[in-house]
């Protein structure tokens, strides 16, 4: 694949045709790790969707919907189209070593071929490491949602029993930026610790503690402050904010999905999958290693059975002589 710089704001990561385990365990865990992850259940819409996101990554779960040869042809077709810039990975719980080698040796898979054999935290780290390596986060540390055009993204600051309104411009699990009338700027002094900030995002109303990271005046008669959440806030609050962000990210992709065209291509031909050569040295080395272990074990048993008889013992009493 042509070498490219990682995008500044990262990549969208799609999981196509995922199992329930992948969707409920891996996808959710990656979202908690601030990756922008989406799920596509119908592979026939994938190509049409990904043309809108040429810098994205996509993992294909090849255990259902099509056979391995069909999935192979489907993924190979990306390299011969305007989708060759997509960073592709493969997931399987049922693939054998031969299948893994065929995909890895004959396809460009920056996302790797991930065999789902152990459902552990190490598996999440494996995905996260690959995504990081391929620039899925870009330079951003947190997913941030632009709320400047949302009518329901507002907040209130309570000071001496009075409420002062502001507009939430964007938000992440680390904090948010807000704007307000410039004559309120004295209420938003830098480094001020606030315990009574209320933000309304969608249908959620959240009371939180913040520290004002920075404040500056705008030429249009407004002011802007950057607010950072403190450790005083409960984890449930952070989960609610993350859920709101992901929900809106998904909504935007859903809007794109409404106008997608379906892929009617037959990927069963050409049927070259079973003719593909694989590097058998890895398998053979495993077989040789296993055979050597069996030989060593047999030799040990033979040594035990043939312990030296005591040369001074002429009686056939079945006694064994073991030298000290």
């Amino acid at each position: 694949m042509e070498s490219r710089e990682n995008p500044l704001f990262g990549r969208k990561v799609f999981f196509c045709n995922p199992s329930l385990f992948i969707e409920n365990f891996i996808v959710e865990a990656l979202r908690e790790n601030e990756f922008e992850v989406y799920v596509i259940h119908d592979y026939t819409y994938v190509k049409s969707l990904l043309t809108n996101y040429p810098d994205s990554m996509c993992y294909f779960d090849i255990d259902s919907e099509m056979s391995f040869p069909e999935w192979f042809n489907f993924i190979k077709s990306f390299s011969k189209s305007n989708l060759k810039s997509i960073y592709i990975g493969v997931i399987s719980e049922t693939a054998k070593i031969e299948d893994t080698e065929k995909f890895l040796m004959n396809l460009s898979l920056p996302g790797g071929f991930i065999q789902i054999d152990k459902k552990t935290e190490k598996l999440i780290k494996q995905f996260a490491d690959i995504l990081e390596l391929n620039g899925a986060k870009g330079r951003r540390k947190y997913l941030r949602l632009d709320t400047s055009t949302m009518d329901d993204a507002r907040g209130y600051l309570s000071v001496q029993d009075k409420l002062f309104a502001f507009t939430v411009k964007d938000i992440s699990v680390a904090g948010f930026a807000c704007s307000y009338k410039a004559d309120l700027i004295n209420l938003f002094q830098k480094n001020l610790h606030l315990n009574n900030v209320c933000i309304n995002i969608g249908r959620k109303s959240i009371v939180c503690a913040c520290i004002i990271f920075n404040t500056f005046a705008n030429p249009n008669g407004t002011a802007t402050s950057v607010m950072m959440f403190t450790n005083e806030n409960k984890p449930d609050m952070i989960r609610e904010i993350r859920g709101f962000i992901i929900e809106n990210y998904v909504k935007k992709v859903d809007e794109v999905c409404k106008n997608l065209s379906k892929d009617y291509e037959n990927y069963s031909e050409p049927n070259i999958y079973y003719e593909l050569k694989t590097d058998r040295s890895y398998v053979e080395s495993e077989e040789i290693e296993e055979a050597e272990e069996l030989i060593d074990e047999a030799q040990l048993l033979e040594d035990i059975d043939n312990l030296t008889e005591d040369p001074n013992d002429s009686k056939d009493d079945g006694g064994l002589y073991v030298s000290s």
Side-chain angles (χ1 to χ4, degrees):
M1 177 175 289
E2 182 183 353
S3 177
R4 295 175 291 161
E5 290 187 5
N6 289 331
L8 178 63
F9 296 107
R11 307 181 192 280
K12 285 178 168 56
V13 181
F14 295 92
F15 281 81
C16 176
N17 192 44
S19 65
L20 283 176
F21 164 71
I22 295 296
E23 187 169 354
N24 295 335
F25 183 64
I26 300 297
V27 169
E28 290 305 313
L30 292 176
R31 284 173 173 172
E32 289 179 4
N33 281 277
E34 299 298 316
F35 290 101
E36 188 181 343
V37 183
Y38 303 86
V39 172
I40 312 172
H41 292 106
D42 189 343
Y43 78 91
T44 62
Y45 291 102
V46 168
K47 286 187 173 181
S48 181
L49 175 62
L50 294 183
T51 56
N52 295 277
Y53 309 108
D55 280 329
S56 62
M57 297 184 67
C58 189
Y59 277 97
F60 295 97
D61 191 327
I62 63 173
D63 286 339
S64 62
E65 298 302 321
M66 290 193 290
S67 64
F68 286 174
E70 288 172 316
W71 277 114
F72 179 89
N73 288 337
F74 175 76
I75 295 172
K76 189 175 181 64
S77 68
F78 277 63
S79 64
K80 301 176 181 179
S81 69
N82 60 343
L83 296 172
K84 59 184 179 181
S85 62
I86 304 297
Y87 282 38
I88 295 176
V90 175
I91 307 168
S92 178
E93 292 185 54
T94 62
K96 298 179 180 178
I97 294 178
E98 293 88 340
D99 298 305
T100 303
E101 289 181 348
K102 286 180 179 180
F103 275 81
L104 287 173
M105 293 174 63
N106 296 280
L107 299 174
S108 177
L109 300 176
F113 191 113
I114 299 182
Q115 184 74 38
I116 310 296
D117 54 355
K118 294 181 179 180
K119 301 176 180 180
T120 65
E121 295 297 323
K122 290 183 178 179
L123 185 59
I124 297 173
K125 186 178 185 304
Q126 183 180 6
F127 273 103
D129 287 346
I130 294 174
L131 296 185
E132 287 275 17
L133 182 65
N134 287 288
K137 282 188 178 181
R139 295 183 184 178
R140 66 189 178 188
K141 188 174 182 180
Y142 302 99
L143 288 177
R144 183 170 293 277
L145 178 67
D146 182 356
T147 57
S148 58
T149 60
M150 296 183 181
D151 295 332
D152 53 358
R154 294 185 170 277
Y156 304 91
L157 177 64
S158 177
V159 178
Q160 296 179 352
D161 297 329
K162 293 183 179 180
L163 295 178
F164 299 91
F166 57 79
T167 299
V168 178
K169 298 179 63 177
D170 60 56
I171 190 168
S172 74
V173 296
F176 63 94
C178 63
S179 62
Y180 44 86
K181 295 179 180 179
D183 56 7
L184 300 179
I185 197 168
N186 289 334
L187 300 177
F188 294 86
Q189 296 179 24
K190 184 177 179 179
N191 296 327
L192 187 63
H193 186 186
L194 303 171
N195 289 310
N196 50 355
V197 179
C198 177
I199 54 176
N200 295 329
I201 45 177
R203 298 179 180 179
K204 300 180 184 299
S205 181
I206 299 171
V207 177
C208 56
C210 307
I211 288 180
I212 301 177
F213 179 74
N214 200 5
T215 291
F216 52 90
N218 302 313
N220 62 356
T222 65
T224 298
S225 291
V226 178
M227 320 280 275
M228 306 301 294
F229 297 126
T230 69
N231 293 332
E232 303 162 81
N233 297 297
K234 296 181 180 180
D236 287 346
M237 187 207 80
I238 300 300
R239 280 192 289 269
E240 286 186 351
I241 293 174
R242 179 179 289 113
F244 174 76
I245 293 170
I246 292 171
E247 178 184 338
N248 280 274
Y249 269 65
V250 171
K251 280 182 181 178
K252 292 179 181 179
V253 173
D254 284 346
E255 285 298 314
V256 176
C257 290
K258 291 179 180 179
N259 300 311
L260 297 179
S261 57
K262 196 168 184 177
D263 180 4
Y264 291 101
E265 184 74 23
N266 181 1
Y267 293 101
S268 61
E269 298 294 337
N271 192 5
I272 62 171
Y273 184 77
Y274 296 108
E275 300 175 5
L276 295 174
K277 303 297 182 182
T278 60
D279 182 6
R280 300 299 299 166
S281 62
Y282 174 74
V283 180
E284 289 171 356
S285 65
E286 278 190 337
E287 294 172 347
I288 292 172
E289 184 178 346
E290 183 178 352
E292 289 176 344
E293 289 179 356
L294 291 174
I295 292 172
D296 291 341
E297 184 178 350
Q299 185 63 52
L300 177 62
L301 292 174
E302 183 179 350
D303 290 343
I304 293 175
D305 289 339
N306 295 322
L307 290 175
T308 306
E309 293 185 1
D310 186 344
N312 298 320
D313 188 355
S314 60
K315 295 187 295 181
D316 186 14
D317 60 0
L320 295 176
Y321 171 73
V322 181
S323 60
S324 60

